[in-house]
Amino acid sequence: MKNSKKIKKIVMLAVLTAIAIVVNLIESMIPLIPGTAFKIGLANVIILVVMFGYGPIEGLSVGLARIFLSFLLAPPNATFLLSITGGLVSLLVMLVFRLINKFSIIPVSIVGSIMHVTGQLIAARFIDQTLAAAVTYYAPIMLGLSIPAGVITGILATRFLKFGQNYFDATKIIKKEKQEIKEEE
Amino acid sequence: MFKNKLQVLRDVILIGIFIIAVGIVALVMALNREQGETALIKYENKLLFEVNMQTGNFTANTEVYKKEVEDSLIISEDFQFLYIEGIPFRNLEIGEGVLVIGNHYYIMGKLGIVHIEYNPTMKKIRVVDETSPYNICSKQGYSDNAPIVCLPNLIYITFSDSEVDFVIG
C-alpha cells in the first residue's frame, strides 16, 4: 500500500509538471493585451497547487523541473533568460513564505507574481543595460498588473486544490488547520 | 478559508505590506522616467544611429548606405535580403550598417531586416516590418517615449538624450 501511494504521488507530480510546461507554452502564444508581452503566469497555479497540496519541497522540485525543462525546450535568448530568472526568484520567495507556513494561497501567490517582475528587473540589469532601460520603463505598469495577476492565480489555485482534493496529499493541511483551530480555542 | 480569523489577519497584513512597497517603488520609477528628444536605435549595447524626434535629424554611429528617394524606387523585403528595384542589397550585416532611404531606415537584426520609419508629421518613430515569432515590436506602432524592444532581433529603440559625442550644434 505504501509503495503504491508513493508511486501515485510521483506520477501526479510528473503530470503536474507536464501541465505546467504545456500551460506555459500555450500562454506565451496568446498575449493578454494584444501587442504586448504581458502574461498572467498560469504555470504558477500548478506550482502553488503542489506547494499547498503536497508540501514545500515537492513544490520546489516541480518548479525547478518546470524551469529546467522549459529551458531545454525554448531557445536560450534574452527574453528567456529574463523569464527564467523571474521564475526562479518568485519560486524561492514563495518557498520561503510557504515554509513560514502562516499564510494562505492568495497572499503567497501575490508575493510570487510581484517577485517574478522584480526578478526580471534585476536580471535585465545584469544582462543588458539597454534592455534594462526598456524594461524599467514598463516596470511600474508591470508591477501594478502583477497584483491582480497574483490574485487570479491564487483564486485559480484554491479552486484547483478544492476540485482535486482527493487526488492530493491534502490531509496534512487539513490536520494542521484543525490543530490551529484547536489551539486558538 | 475564512474560518480562521488570525489567518485572514496575517494574510491581509502581508498583502498590505507588499502592495504598499510595490506602490512606492512603482511611483518612484514612474517619476524618474527620463524623456529624451532623441531616439537611440541600438543593437545589443551598440548604438547604430540616432534620430532627433523634433527635427528628424539623422546621426549614424556605423556605416551608412544612402539611396536617393525616387518615385520609381521599388523596395521589397525578404527574410534575408532587401531588393531595391529588383537588385538584392547585400551590404548590411547583423548589427552593422544602416541603409537610409528618406525617413526609412533599414538595419539587420539577428533574424533579418528591421525596417524603421520616422514620421515627420507625427514626430514619432515605429518599426514597420521585422522578422520575429510574435512581431511584438511592429504591432506596437508609433512611439515617442515608450521604448520599442525587438528582443528576437536584439534591436532596441529607446528615447533619451543624445549619446553621440561628436554632435555639433
Side-chain angles (χ1 to χ4, degrees), chain A residues 40 48 105-106 109-111 113 145-155:
Chain A
I40 297 182
L48 282 167
I105 300 180
I106 293 174
S109 154
I110 292 172
V111 169
S113 65
L145 281 174
S146 73
I147 293 163
V151 173
I152 292 168
T153 43
I155 290 168

Side-chain angles (χ1 to χ4, degrees), chain B residues 9-119:
Chain B
L9 189 69
R10 275 193 215 121
D11 290 354
V12 167
I13 288 170
L14 183 66
I15 294 174
I17 289 170
F18 265 84
I19 286 180
I20 290 165
V22 163
I24 291 167
V25 170
L27 203 72
V28 168
M29 277 180 160
L31 291 176
N32 280 345
R33 268 181 194 173
E34 51 174 282
Q35 286 180 0
E37 291 199 323
T38 316
L40 311 172
I41 289 85
K42 290 183 179 177
Y43 177 83
E44 283 195 290
N45 277 325
K46 186 189 164 205
L47 181 69
L48 293 179
F49 65 95
E50 293 182 359
V51 180
N52 189 303
M53 295 307 281
Q54 291 305 314
T55 59
N57 275 346
F58 163 83
T59 325
N61 206 16
T62 179
E63 204 169 341
V64 180
Y65 309 96
K66 277 206 172 172
K67 292 272 171 191
E68 291 303 313
V69 188
E70 293 167 24
D71 293 339
S72 61
L73 197 70
I74 301 159
I75 302 160
S76 58
E77 288 160 48
D78 205 334
F79 178 68
Q80 285 292 336
F81 292 112
L82 274 173
Y83 293 91
I84 299 168
E85 292 177 324
I87 304 156
F89 182 83
R90 293 170 192 272
N91 294 350
L92 287 179
E93 280 172 36
I94 293 174
E96 196 74 50
V98 52
L99 172 67
V100 184
I101 303 172
N103 282 321
H104 295 259
Y105 309 100
Y106 295 86
I107 47 178
M108 182 67 95
K110 206 178 178 190
L111 297 181
I113 307 273
V114 179
H115 175 185
I116 295 161
E117 183 203 356
Y118 170 74
N119 190 319

